[in-house]
Amino acid sequence: MKHARAPALLGLIWVAGVAATEVAQVGLPTFLDVTEPSGIRFKHSYGDYEMSNIVEAAGYGACFFDYNGDGFQDIYFPNGRWRKDVNDNRGRELRGKLWNALYRNNGDGTFTEVTAEAGVAGKDMAFGCSAADFDNDGDLDLYVLNYSANEFYRNNGDGTFTDITEQSGLGDPHWSLNAPWLDYNNDGWLDVYVCNYLEYDAGKFRNFYAAAGHPGPLSYHGQPDALYRNNGDGTFTDVTKEAGVYNPGGRCMSATAADINNDGFMDIYVANDAMENYYYENTGEGIFVEKGAGLGLSFGENGQGVSSMGPLIGDVDRDGWQDIFIPDMSYSTLLVRRGEFYEDFTVRSKLAMACGQYTGWGANMFDYDNDGYLDLYVANGHALHEFVEEGLLMWNSRKPEVEFLDVSARSGEYFRKEYVGRGSSTADYDNDGDMDILVCNLNDYARLLRNDGGNRHNWLKVEVKRANGKSDAIGARVTVEVGGLRQIEDVVAVKGYLSQADPRPHFGLGKNAAADLVEIRWPGGKVQQFKNVPANQIFKVVEDAR
């Protein structure tokens, strides 16, 4: 089924006050599909040949992480499996033929699959993944989110992993989709929030017309998410109730963690399906308080509960406060901080007109042209059928009132093709100074899109490491001031739908040859400042180092 772009969008004339010639004069980058020459051959399967239920429809994400510490971002793909309580009988022939995949970045633009030798093929139907240095030994460990018990792999530091699920206590038995890492109590050990979806009934409830699709999320009971505290000895303890984040009826599609209220502690934003979203504000005392409704963060579309997918947090108007974008099955939602509360900017930012023709899932908030402002990419695909849709690239026009332009049609051949999109993520996989896109397509090949031309503008990537010089300082706040513009970004890897992005904060500097100021606010509150930092480099800062 073809979903052609609305004619009014093709020339960008629809954007009030902005002519198409203005966009053309900017000289925006394009994206080239380099999947085949890069060596990535991953094809997703949900364990069957025809999508027939909500489990198969959920799709998958991907995880960018530097598992071998060579400075280049590698990729991990979760994959489906045939399960008798999920899939139809004809999918049985896929048993033993599906596995997750790890691709090592060779540093020359190509990747090599190393799944078997690394020992991370997985055992069950997988959806999301995340990676973090949970034991502070300097390498990234891998968490895989499954339909049943999750799997946790410790990085051995030699290119291999060991399954430590049972002894760690992270084998959450629910249907989990994603898991952001955060040090919520600032004790120096990373904790993890596990996003659980709903309780599927093995196909017992089928009261629907086949033409309309399978039953939706409201046909099933929600499941509680879980917060696991890192005990510092290789084990985790479930502290969901005592930490104040227990909601038994949630239907979490994805969650992310960042310092949303600028107080130095990491908060948690949870995007739920067909109900209100949660905003858990960190009190700094090991307790969270849910404040979503009071701040305008619980609902989108003027108060409606929507089918929220993967949340993104970033400062779209560069006013020093984090804003939130959530794709959904209709117009999506952009919540912008104004004073003490958040306002719905979806319509006035022109995002509603562009997103409204698609079904949004995985999105990325990133400065792809290095002009200093965050742009948006959204992967789209029908929720109930394998109907294809185009991806959507929205350029931030840099106006104080917040405005995005649909530049998809002029951004490369990939945007003129259609897929059943699900997760997506961004990384500078080739370390050339501009951000690239990875798209996870349902029951299809994942696609790697190389950014061509983003580094025509100057840039600065800040690699923020803890005192051991190797572990990412998750939760640190990086501020870059350049040419009168102030940009902020937290060191957060898990973002968007079921996915993890390049953890190194990336800043566009425009035509400026140096950043006037780079400031690091470390977890715990210490602040370091660096002046006149030259552009076009990966600027590594180690905590407590001079």
Side-chain angles (χ1 to χ4, degrees):
M1 179 177 181
K2 187 173 180 64
H3 293 258
R5 299 186 189 279
L9 300 182
L10 289 175
L12 306 172
I13 305 296
W14 60 273
V15 181
V18 179
T21 53
E22 180 179 338
V23 179
Q25 290 171 357
V26 174
L28 295 177
T30 58
F31 287 87
L32 180 66
D33 187 339
V34 295
T35 310
E36 293 187 11
S38 74
I40 295 175
R41 300 288 186 271
F42 178 76
K43 185 177 183 180
H44 172 260
S45 172
Y46 42 65
D48 207 344
Y49 295 109
E50 184 177 348
M51 186 176 75
S52 60
N53 60 62
I54 197 168
V55 181
E56 295 174 345
Y60 70 112
C63 180
F64 275 113
F65 75 124
D66 182 7
Y67 84 96
N68 57 0
D70 65 353
F72 289 89
Q73 296 293 304
D74 311 296
I75 304 173
Y76 186 79
F77 293 104
N79 203 3
R81 303 291 193 280
W82 181 85
R83 290 182 57 108
K84 64 180 180 180
D85 56 347
V86 173
N87 308 112
D88 293 332
N89 287 335
R90 58 185 170 181
R92 284 181 297 179
E93 65 181 60
L94 295 174
R95 286 181 296 183
K97 299 179 181 179
L98 302 175
W99 55 85
N100 307 339
L102 174 63
Y103 281 84
R104 184 188 64 223
N105 191 329
N106 299 320
D108 59 0
T110 68
F111 291 79
T112 299
E113 186 183 346
V114 293
T115 311
E117 63 192 72
V120 290
K123 303 170 184 176
D124 204 347
M125 177 179 279
F127 297 86
C129 52
S130 62
D133 183 10
F134 89 101
D135 50 3
N136 291 342
D137 67 349
D139 48 37
L140 292 170
D141 311 291
L142 180 64
Y143 196 26
V144 183
L145 293 314
N146 291 334
Y147 180 74
S148 57
N150 299 331
E151 300 167 36
F152 190 46
Y153 296 92
R154 185 185 64 223
N155 192 328
N156 299 321
D158 59 0
T160 67
F161 292 79
T162 298
D163 187 340
I164 59 167
T165 306
E166 185 174 350
Q167 55 264 46
S168 70
L170 287 184
D172 193 301
H174 300 94
W175 176 12
S176 302
L177 291 180
N178 96 321
W181 294 83
L182 69 159
D183 183 3
Y184 81 95
N185 53 4
N186 277 354
D187 66 351
W189 298 92
L190 287 177
D191 316 293
V192 64
Y193 184 91
V194 177
C195 165
N196 293 320
Y197 190 24
L198 50 78
E199 184 179 350
Y200 184 60
D201 64 355
K204 296 181 179 64
F205 177 72
R206 299 293 288 262
N207 184 23
F208 68 101
Y209 294 101
H214 54 260
L218 294 179
S219 300
Y220 309 101
H221 295 296
Q223 294 182 326
D225 298 341
L227 176 63
Y228 291 94
R229 184 187 65 218
N230 190 332
N231 300 319
D233 60 0
T235 68
F236 290 78
T237 299
D238 186 339
V239 295
T240 310
K241 292 183 178 179
E242 65 186 78
V245 294
Y246 180 69
N247 269 300
R251 296 182 181 86
C252 180
M253 295 295 281
S254 283
T256 191
D259 181 12
I260 295 175
N261 64 341
N262 287 353
D263 67 350
F265 298 99
M266 294 189 76
D267 312 296
I268 302 171
Y269 188 80
V270 180
N272 290 310
D273 197 0
M275 57 180 289
E276 75 274 13
N277 298 329
Y278 303 144
Y279 164 56
Y280 295 116
E281 190 167 280
N282 193 333
T283 65
E285 300 176 351
I287 301 293
F288 292 84
V289 178
E290 207 288 307
K291 294 186 175 182
L295 294 174
L297 292 174
S298 293
F299 299 95
E301 297 183 25
N302 301 313
Q304 283 181 247
V306 295
S307 299
S308 299
M309 303 301 184
L312 299 168
I313 295 177
D315 182 8
V316 298
D317 54 356
R318 295 308 188 197
D319 67 348
W321 289 95
Q322 305 268 33
D323 311 301
I324 303 176
F325 176 75
I326 313 111
D328 61 39
M329 290 179 63
S330 51
Y331 299 99
S332 298
T333 301
L334 177 63
L335 302 172
V336 176
R337 178 90 176 209
R338 284 292 183 262
E340 296 297 317
F341 306 98
Y342 286 80
E343 296 182 21
D344 190 332
F345 268 57
T346 316
V347 174
R348 70 184 88 171
S349 67
K350 309 302 188 295
L351 284 172
M353 185 180 295
C355 295
Q357 33 180 350
Y358 303 114
T359 309
W361 293 80
N364 310 114
M365 190 182 289
F366 66 127
D367 181 7
Y368 83 95
D369 62 337
N370 286 331
D371 67 349
Y373 283 81
L374 295 174
D375 312 295
L376 282 168
Y377 170 78
V378 185
N380 300 305
H382 201 279
L384 301 177
H385 301 279
E386 292 184 58
F387 296 160
V388 294
E389 299 178 358
E390 302 103 336
L392 186 65
L393 185 63
M394 303 294 293
W395 179 69
N396 190 328
S397 68
R398 304 173 292 199
K399 296 194 174 183
E401 63 268 25
V402 185
E403 182 181 69
F404 288 88
L405 312 181
D406 183 355
V407 296
S408 310
R410 65 183 307 276
S411 296
E413 180 65 26
Y414 181 84
F415 295 94
R416 291 186 281 274
K417 297 179 180 179
E418 297 175 322
Y419 300 89
V420 186
R422 288 300 185 259
S424 68
S425 191
T426 55
D428 185 3
Y429 81 92
D430 49 4
N431 285 346
D432 68 346
D434 48 32
M435 300 297 287
D436 313 293
I437 304 174
L438 179 67
V439 187
C440 301
N441 296 310
L442 184 73
N443 204 31
D444 200 350
Y445 290 97
R447 312 304 298 186
L448 180 63
L449 309 180
R450 189 185 67 205
N451 186 331
D452 286 347
N455 54 14
R456 288 195 294 262
H457 281 148
N458 294 324
W459 54 276
L460 184 68
K461 199 182 305 295
V462 184
E463 192 171 10
V464 188
K465 297 294 186 180
R466 299 181 60 180
N468 64 10
K470 297 181 179 180
S471 305
D472 296 321
I474 299 295
R477 165 68 60 86
V478 182
T479 302
V480 170
E481 295 182 5
V482 57
L485 184 68
R486 187 170 185 265
Q487 306 176 47
I488 64 171
E489 186 172 341
D490 291 345
V491 181
V492 173
V494 180
K495 57 186 74 173
Y497 186 63
L498 314 185
S499 298
Q500 173 164 312
D502 191 333
R504 303 169 294 180
H506 184 94
F507 301 91
L509 304 185
K511 298 180 179 179
N512 298 281
D516 302 320
L517 176 71
V518 175
E519 178 182 281
I520 314 293
R521 187 194 67 197
W522 299 95
K526 292 184 300 181
V527 175
Q528 280 184 280
Q529 293 185 335
F530 306 87
K531 296 182 179 180
N532 299 318
V533 179
N536 304 327
Q537 64 162 316
I538 300 174
F539 183 56
K540 183 176 180 179
V541 183
V542 179
E543 187 175 11
D544 295 330
R546 296 182 63 181

